[in-house]
């Protein structure tokens, strides 16, 4: 089918690329193919926001290397979301390594385009993946209608359509899954579990069933069963950083910190800059008194996200340990030397000295803040507080909520 025939069926594209010229290039390509309804994103997070708010998007062209997330994470998000998980996805990259291409396809990319882009080749790829998508089976068409109703929170209507789709394709694992997820949304969790368990027996490798069972048991606060099904889900579909992170959080909640650490490390394999996983990993090391690993993890997190407040709090707490006091002091001093105008680091150093009952250096550090920002609203308050600390045990100040003054 000619691509211009597709425009009659309303193609809504999303181009995800950090660089404006590349977004303009793909826009021109799509326009030449008769596609004019186009959104653009320069970051992964913005792309996910657009995908969440614009359910009509039915073509995604995504660069592999973005500033915040990777193309791998975007395609994983699409393929694992509750609705519209089958939309065409074209990965674009200058990386021609076989492992990268195989990984993109295994995660659900419909095709992979290498830079520099050949205009004829890219048009053929887009036409091919759209032809497949725009000519669905009867069951798939019903699933999409159900997805729209589900997205609009019309769950009873969605259920009726999903049941029709399941009758049209009774051997598909998808039918039982979408029916079960709708029962779950309607609060009928027992029925949802019954359907899912039956589907797991007939389709043991369909990871979405285990994912939904894990979510149901999480809502029921049955953490042992949630862990069991999350592990089964990840055994089948391991490249899911957010699900590995979630598993780690459940292990941590259950007090199994070593297992939590393993899960956070799994999450970081596919998303090395995952801030939540890095922070949770550092906290787990701290709770296990592995202060060396904690320090290294928090330093890495702060290199990626210099203003990550909770990481700074952990370092301040680590500095309360006498064996680590000098290390933490040197760390904050070194960071201030790199960025002499970073006021929040001066406050961190002030709090560290405060914990060590070193009033003189606390005052000297606060005075440096005044030199940088004479009208800072909290500095004088801190100075007055220090002056009033005549009695010992002034370290209670370290319990303040913010490291930014």
């Amino acid at each position: 089918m000619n691509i211009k025939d597709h425009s009659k069926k309303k193609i809504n594209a999303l181009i995800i690329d950090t660089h404006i010229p590349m977004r303009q290039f793909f826009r021109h390509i799509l326009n030449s193919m008769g596609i004019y309804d186009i959104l653009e994103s320069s970051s992964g997070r913005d792309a996910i926001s657009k995908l969440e708010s614009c359910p009509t998007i039915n073509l995604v062209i995504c660069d592999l290397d973005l500033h915040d997330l990777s193309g791998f994470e975007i395609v994983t998000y699409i393929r694992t979301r509750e609705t519209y998980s089958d939309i065409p996805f074209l990965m674009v990259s200058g990386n021609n390594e076989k492992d990268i291409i195989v990984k993109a396809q295994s995660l659900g990319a419909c095709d992979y385009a290498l830079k520099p882009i050949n205009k004829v080749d890219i048009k053929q790829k887009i036409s091919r993946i759209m032809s497949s998508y725009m000519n669905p089976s009867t069951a798939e068409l019903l699933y999409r209608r159900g997805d729209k109703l589900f997205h609009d929170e019309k769950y009873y209507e969605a259920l009726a359509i999903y049941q029709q789709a399941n009758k049209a394709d009774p051997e598909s694992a998808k039918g039982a899954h979408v029916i079960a997820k709708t029962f779950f949304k309607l609060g009928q969790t027992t029925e949802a579990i019954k359907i899912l368990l039956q589907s797991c027996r007939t389709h043991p490798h369909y990871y979405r069933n285990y994912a939904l069972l894990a979510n149901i048991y999480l809502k029921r606060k049955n953490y042992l069963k949630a862990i069991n099904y999350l592990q089964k889900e990840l055994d089948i579909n391991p490249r899911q950083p957010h699900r590995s992170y979630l598993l780690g959080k459940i292990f941590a909640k259950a007090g199994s910190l070593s297992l939590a650490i393993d899960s956070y490390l799994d999450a970081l394999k596919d998303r090395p800059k995952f801030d939540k996983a890095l922070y949770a990993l550092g906290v787990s090391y701290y709770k296990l008194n592995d202060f060396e690993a904690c320090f290294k993890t928090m330093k890495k997190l702060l290199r990626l996200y210099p203003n990550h407040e909770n990481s700074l709090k952990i370092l301040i707490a680590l500095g309360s340990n006498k064996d680590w006091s000098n290390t933490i002091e040197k760390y904050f001093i070194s960071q201030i030397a790199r960025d002499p105008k970073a006021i929040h680091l001066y406050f961190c150093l002030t709090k560290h000295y405060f914990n060590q009952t070193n009033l003189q250096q606390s005052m000297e550090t606060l005075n440096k803040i005044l030199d940088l920002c004479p009208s800072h609203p909290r500095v004088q308050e801190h100075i007055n507080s220090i002056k009033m600390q005549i009695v010992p045990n002034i370290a209670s100040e370290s319990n303040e909520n913010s490291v930014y003054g």
Side-chain angles (χ1 to χ4, degrees):
M1 180 183 288
N2 188 285
I3 191 68
K4 290 189 176 180
D5 293 334
H6 295 160
S7 62
K8 298 175 183 178
K9 299 182 180 181
K10 196 70 173 177
I11 295 176
N12 297 278
L14 173 62
I15 302 168
I16 312 167
D17 199 293
T18 302
H19 304 290
I20 294 175
M22 284 304 299
R23 298 201 302 272
Q24 292 174 336
F25 171 81
F26 281 114
R27 178 178 283 274
H28 175 74
I29 291 290
L30 292 173
N31 287 167
S32 72
M33 300 172 75
I35 301 171
Y36 298 97
D37 294 302
I38 302 168
L39 295 173
E40 296 182 15
S41 288
S42 61
S43 70
R45 287 189 174 88
D46 180 68
I48 287 177
S49 177
K50 283 186 170 65
L51 286 161
E52 289 175 343
S53 60
C54 303
T56 56
I57 292 171
N58 53 14
L59 170 62
V60 176
I61 299 174
C62 182
D63 189 63
L64 175 61
D65 298 309
L66 305 170
H67 287 326
D68 52 352
L69 306 178
S70 71
F72 294 142
E73 292 171 86
I74 305 299
V75 69
T76 298
Y77 162 76
I78 291 171
R79 296 299 180 236
T80 58
R81 63 182 178 172
E82 287 186 324
T83 55
Y84 306 111
S85 61
D86 65 333
I87 62 173
F89 187 100
L90 177 63
M91 188 80 81
V92 180
S93 175
N95 193 326
N96 65 354
E97 293 179 23
K98 184 178 178 180
D99 288 348
I100 297 296
I101 297 172
V102 169
K103 180 177 178 180
Q105 293 174 337
S106 69
L107 290 174
C110 300
D111 212 330
Y112 191 96
L114 280 171
K115 296 179 182 178
I117 301 296
N118 179 289
K119 289 184 179 181
V120 174
D121 181 58
I122 198 70
K123 286 183 179 182
Q124 289 176 346
K125 288 178 182 291
I126 293 171
S127 183
R128 184 167 57 250
I129 64 177
M130 292 311 299
S131 292
S132 176
Y133 179 77
M134 288 298 186
N135 293 281
S137 65
T138 300
E140 195 55 51
L141 196 58
L142 287 168
Y143 284 133
R144 291 179 194 171
R145 286 175 56 192
D147 282 352
K148 185 178 186 308
L149 292 165
F150 190 96
H151 184 271
D152 294 339
E153 299 182 359
K154 297 177 180 179
Y155 299 124
Y156 284 106
E157 294 175 55
L159 180 61
I161 297 298
Y162 284 148
Q163 288 170 332
Q164 288 181 40
N166 193 41
K167 287 181 181 178
D169 188 17
E171 300 302 317
S172 170
K174 184 175 181 177
H177 174 78
V178 295
I179 290 170
K181 78 174 182 183
T182 311
F183 275 123
F184 178 41
K185 282 290 186 180
L186 291 169
Q188 300 180 39
T189 55
T190 301
E191 182 64 22
I193 291 171
K194 178 182 176 182
I195 293 169
L196 289 169
L197 291 177
Q198 175 61 38
S199 184
C200 285
R201 286 190 286 270
T202 54
H203 303 281
H205 301 296
Y206 192 69
Y207 77 91
R208 289 176 180 272
N209 286 336
Y210 301 110
L212 184 52
L213 281 166
N215 292 343
I216 290 172
Y217 283 115
L218 272 176
K219 187 172 182 181
R220 288 186 164 190
K221 297 184 179 180
N222 187 331
Y223 298 119
L224 287 177
K225 285 192 175 182
I227 287 172
N228 177 46
Y229 287 116
L230 254 177
Q231 288 177 319
K232 288 183 177 180
E233 173 194 354
L234 289 167
D235 284 343
I236 299 169
N237 188 28
R239 298 186 180 103
Q240 298 186 81
H242 280 89
R243 299 296 281 181
S244 293
Y245 166 72
L246 176 60
L247 181 60
K249 294 292 286 183
I250 301 171
F251 276 133
K253 192 178 184 71
S256 301
L257 291 175
S258 295
L259 293 174
I261 286 171
D262 290 340
S263 295
Y264 297 142
L265 290 172
D266 284 340
L268 291 165
K269 286 178 185 176
D270 282 304
R271 188 178 171 188
K273 298 180 181 180
F274 191 178
D275 54 342
K276 289 182 179 179
L278 277 169
Y279 177 70
L281 179 65
V283 170
S284 297
Y285 284 136
Y286 181 83
K287 290 180 177 179
L288 287 174
N289 294 325
D290 189 344
F291 297 141
E292 183 69 35
C294 171
F295 183 53
K296 288 180 179 178
T297 303
M298 293 306 174
K299 281 201 303 180
K300 179 179 180 180
L301 181 54
L302 287 164
R303 280 196 300 270
L304 295 168
Y305 308 98
N307 296 322
H308 196 281
E309 185 173 353
N310 286 333
S311 296
L312 293 168
K313 289 181 184 179
I314 293 294
L315 291 183
I316 292 169
L318 187 57
S320 297
N321 184 300
K322 64 179 181 179
D323 294 331
W324 280 87
S325 176
N326 290 337
T327 301
I328 297 302
E329 178 185 5
K330 289 177 181 177
Y331 173 77
F332 284 130
I333 290 173
S334 69
Q335 296 308 298
I336 289 171
R338 291 182 180 181
D339 187 1
K341 295 183 179 181
I343 290 176
H344 69 286
L345 292 175
Y346 288 96
F347 274 113
C348 289
L349 187 57
T350 298
K351 287 178 178 289
H352 173 70
Y353 287 139
F354 213 62
N355 289 347
Q356 309 305 312
T357 67
N358 192 333
L359 296 179
Q360 181 178 347
Q361 289 194 291
S362 288
M363 287 290 289
E364 289 175 0
T365 308
L366 285 170
N367 284 329
K368 290 177 182 177
I369 299 176
L370 284 176
D371 292 339
L372 291 170
C373 186
S375 60
H376 196 287
R378 294 298 304 276
V379 175
Q380 191 59 50
E381 180 181 331
H382 278 275
I383 290 173
N384 292 339
S385 179
I386 291 172
K387 288 179 179 178
M388 293 174 64
Q389 300 303 321
I390 302 172
V391 295
N393 200 23
I394 64 174
S396 59
E397 177 71 7
S398 64
N399 291 324
E400 284 191 5
N401 287 330
S402 176
V403 298
Y404 295 99

